[in-house]
Amino acid sequence: MKVKIATAQYDISFLENWRNYQAKIERWVTEAAGQGAKILLFPEYGSMELASLFSKEIYSSLNKQLASMQSLLDDYIGLFRTLAQKHGCYIQSGTFPVRIESGAYRNRAYLFMPDGRFDYQDKLMMTRFENEQWLINSGEELKCFDTEYGRIAINVCYDSEFPMLARKQVEAGANLILVPSCTDTLAGYHRVKIGCQARALENQCYVVQSPTVGEAPWSEAVDVNIGAAAVYTPVDRGFPDNGILAIGELNKPQWVMADISLNACETVRQQGQVFNYRDWPSQKAFS
């Protein structure tokens, strides 16, 4: 079964009010759904543009941004939940920094289902910026999600650079890994890109990346954003020779779309030129 996936190169905007944010998200989702996309991916920390709805004293402060944004979380969830139901699609909305009961913050990636349900994957591996400046904590659980197109998983940005996370998800049945990302240097973008391609190679699965793009000088958190959205594949029979099914133009706001078949992952694992997925356990003999 083939399904069209849309991954966003999403620009950070300065917004006057919630209505402008809602209109922007509705426009993006309507465009992708209108072209037949059934799985939509937005980037890590794309939600940080919501900080612009508050005063300069708040949006220019890392700590005050996080605290103030909690007042918008229910509306954020409601917006994406409604759009997923309206368009009959799965939406990974990027990430939102969520304050949990202990008072700590988690970088949370929500997945909204066509039937109104939603779930989330918290980021597990934290960058230096998150650890040392923003004080956002690691999540505690690695998940997979069942969809009508097959089981999928989420690696939030830096998580994609650690192979054991994706491996555990793929062994649990995920053939598609969604990677919402946010990087402020070209090197950072390439680290995530290389991680995504390596995970697709090792596990003979699809890995899809969505970055924030453009500049937002008003924000201390997401002031510079560099990247290109892409759909990465196994490098074997039936797939592109370079493992890139689709990729966007660097730093240009746009959707990148491709038709994928999660069943094709099982086929290449059984009939491919190489057996990266099957041969993974053989490494243990040399470690």
Side-chain angles (χ1 to χ4, degrees):
M1 177 190 301
K2 284 194 172 184
V3 59
K4 179 169 284 188
I5 188 165
T7 176
Q9 290 183 198
Y10 185 82
D11 58 314
I12 300 294
S13 300
F14 190 92
L15 305 161
E16 288 88 11
N17 52 56
W18 170 262
R19 290 189 303 276
N20 288 356
Y21 176 74
Q22 180 176 335
K24 180 181 179 182
I25 295 299
E26 288 177 347
R27 184 172 65 251
W28 275 79
V29 171
T30 299
E31 179 183 346
Q35 296 185 52
K38 291 299 183 181
I39 302 175
L40 281 62
L41 173 61
F42 285 92
E44 179 189 34
Y45 290 130
S47 64
M48 291 310 300
E49 64 184 352
L50 285 169
S52 65
L53 272 58
F54 302 99
S55 67
K56 183 176 181 180
E57 179 187 3
I58 290 175
Y59 69 65
S60 60
S61 165
L62 287 176
N63 292 332
K64 291 179 180 179
Q65 281 185 43
L66 298 184
S68 297
M69 282 181 60
Q70 304 312 301
S71 66
L72 301 173
L73 179 58
D74 288 345
D75 289 334
Y76 172 89
I77 291 173
L79 172 60
F80 282 100
R81 187 181 184 187
T82 297
L83 289 172
Q85 289 178 286
K86 177 181 178 180
H87 294 282
C89 60
Y90 295 86
I91 304 176
Q92 202 296 286
S93 61
T95 70
F96 192 107
V98 175
R99 184 170 57 208
I100 60 176
E101 290 184 3
S102 68
Y105 289 95
R106 298 270 176 84
N107 187 7
R108 182 157 291 176
Y110 287 99
L111 180 65
F112 297 90
M113 321 289 185
D115 62 3
R117 294 178 300 117
F118 65 93
D119 204 338
Y120 62 84
Q121 171 67 60
D122 286 335
K123 189 173 185 178
L124 301 178
M125 306 298 295
M126 314 312 292
T127 64
R128 289 191 62 191
F129 175 71
E130 289 169 313
N131 268 329
E132 299 172 13
Q133 298 180 55
W134 223 354
L135 305 180
I136 296 180
N137 292 359
S138 168
E140 297 177 346
E141 184 180 2
L142 187 64
K143 299 180 179 181
C144 291
F145 309 94
D146 290 317
T147 76
E148 61 188 286
Y149 306 108
R151 181 164 281 194
I152 68 177
I154 301 170
N155 283 183
V156 179
C157 199
Y158 195 40
D159 288 347
S160 68
E161 299 175 33
F162 295 86
M164 298 306 294
L165 300 179
R167 182 66 189 185
K168 185 173 181 180
Q169 291 167 315
V170 173
E171 288 180 342
N175 285 338
L176 169 62
I177 299 174
L178 304 179
V179 181
S181 70
C182 178
T183 50
D184 62 0
T185 65
L186 194 58
Y189 156 64
H190 280 292
R191 282 195 295 269
V192 179
K193 176 181 182 291
I194 291 167
C196 289
Q197 288 200 266
R199 305 297 81 81
L201 173 70
E202 295 159 353
N203 297 297
Q204 294 179 294
C205 69
Y206 291 98
V207 181
V208 181
Q209 181 183 4
S210 169
T212 49
V213 299
E215 296 185 359
W218 54 270
S219 172
E220 189 175 351
V222 287
D223 52 340
V224 179
N225 304 273
I226 296 173
V231 179
Y232 301 114
T233 72
V235 186
D236 210 318
R237 291 193 182 103
F239 295 97
D241 291 335
N242 62 358
I244 303 175
L245 184 57
I247 192 165
E249 179 182 341
L250 188 71
N251 294 339
K252 178 182 177 181
Q254 64 183 118
W255 279 114
V256 174
M257 302 190 191
D259 291 319
I260 63 174
S261 172
L262 301 192
N263 293 334
C265 298
E266 296 299 335
T267 300
V268 77
R269 289 171 188 164
Q270 296 172 14
Q271 302 174 16
Q273 295 171 315
V274 291
F275 294 116
N276 300 82
Y277 175 81
R278 189 194 68 183
D279 291 340
W280 177 274
S282 299
Q283 300 175 90
K284 296 178 181 178
F286 309 102
S287 61

